[in-house]
Amino acid sequence: RKEVEQDPGPFNVPEGATVAFNCTYSNSASQSFFWYRQDCRKEPKLLMSVYSSGNEDGRFTAQLNRASQYISLLIRDSKLSDSATYLCVVNSGLHAALFNKFYFGSGTKLNVKP
Amino acid sequence: EPEVTQTPSHQVTQMGQEVILRCVPISNHLYFYWYRQILGQKVEFLVSFYNNEISEKSEIFDDQFSVERPDGSNFTLKIRSTKLEDSAMYFCASSEASRNTEAFFGQGTRLTVV
């Protein structure tokens, strides 16, 4: 079973739409969770961390459900510049107290069209 | 804003040759990583490094790979005898502490083995 699973998409949405991405992870001992954004042939860039209480940053809302081992990202009022691949990343270090190991989902591609 | 820097941005090498990919992590970070991404595929963990030693490595990171922190600033990945299938984007990353902290990625080195 994959450590982190995501729907690869692509999601093709018009500008202004609301779009939601989901992600599941297999290791219940995972410590921390993130959404990264990756533009074509570029490095992953942190979009936001995901907290148990849920968190919002402008048009972006992330939620974590530890019981279901499920993470989500909601983008409201999509912009053309939101077009990218969104990577779900889970930190499941072998020795969680000390070391990090970030597992990446395969990414969900978003195309926002005019 | 501090960032992870990698050199070179693109390296072309002949099969069987040794390559060294270089990274300068963010200066106050303690954990360092190498990831790779084959074109069109997901970001894959290679190795994590802490306190001058490897803390964890994946099955991809075989005897052909090694990492080193030769001085206080550089972090290198060496591939001893490159194979065609080593062609990929190699990302260096660093993070500040063990728990609940994000990793920051360099812009990557595109390795092409011919």
Side-chain angles (χ1 to χ4, degrees), chain A residues 36 38 43 94 98 100 102, chain B residues 31 33 35 37 56 98 103 106:
Chain A
Y36 279 74
Q38 187 175 31
E43 76 274 24
L94 184 63
L98 293 176
N100 283 335
F102 296 90
Chain B
Y31 297 83
Y33 317 86
Y35 283 80
Q37 188 175 31
E56 196 169 348
S98 58

Side-chain angles (χ1 to χ4, degrees), chain B residues 57 59-66 78-81:
Chain B
K57 59 185 180 180
E59 55 200 30
I60 301 169
F61 194 88
D62 61 21
D63 292 345
Q64 292 301 309
F65 290 87
S66 62
K78 183 194 289 187
I79 309 175
R80 261 178 272 283
S81 177

Side-chain angles (χ1 to χ4, degrees), chain B residues 46-72:
Chain B
L46 292 178
V47 65
S48 58
F49 192 88
Y50 169 72
N51 199 27
N52 285 319
E53 59 184 26
I54 290 173
S55 52
E56 196 169 348
K57 59 185 180 180
S58 72
E59 55 200 30
I60 301 169
F61 194 88
D62 61 21
D63 292 345
Q64 292 301 309
F65 290 87
S66 62
V67 289
E68 198 176 35
R69 189 153 162 82
D71 53 42

Side-chain angles (χ1 to χ4, degrees), chain A residues 7-107:
Chain A
D7 180 345
F11 284 54
N12 298 308
V13 303
E15 263 186 298
T18 295
V19 62
F21 304 137
N22 303 318
C23 166
T24 56
Y25 60 95
S26 60
N27 185 348
S28 59
S30 298
Q31 296 293 309
S32 48
F33 311 89
F34 310 92
W35 284 101
Y36 279 74
R37 168 195 169 126
Q38 187 175 31
D39 294 289
C40 188
R41 294 179 179 251
K42 300 284 191 182
E43 76 274 24
K45 289 190 176 175
L46 179 70
L47 182 65
M48 58 197 304
S49 301
V50 187
Y51 304 120
S52 296
S53 53
N55 48 303
E56 188 173 308
D57 182 2
R59 299 182 292 109
F60 299 85
T61 301
Q63 296 212 302
L64 167 65
N65 183 323
R66 282 190 187 268
S68 303
Q69 296 178 204
Y70 171 94
I71 305 158
S72 65
L73 176 69
L74 184 78
I75 305 175
R76 289 181 297 278
D77 188 23
S78 302
K79 311 288 185 198
L80 295 176
S81 57
D82 293 334
S83 297
T85 297
Y86 289 82
L87 306 172
C88 177
V89 181
V90 174
N91 184 356
S92 302
L94 184 63
H95 304 289
L98 293 176
F99 304 128
N100 283 335
K101 183 173 177 181
F102 296 90
Y103 287 93
F104 281 74
S106 55

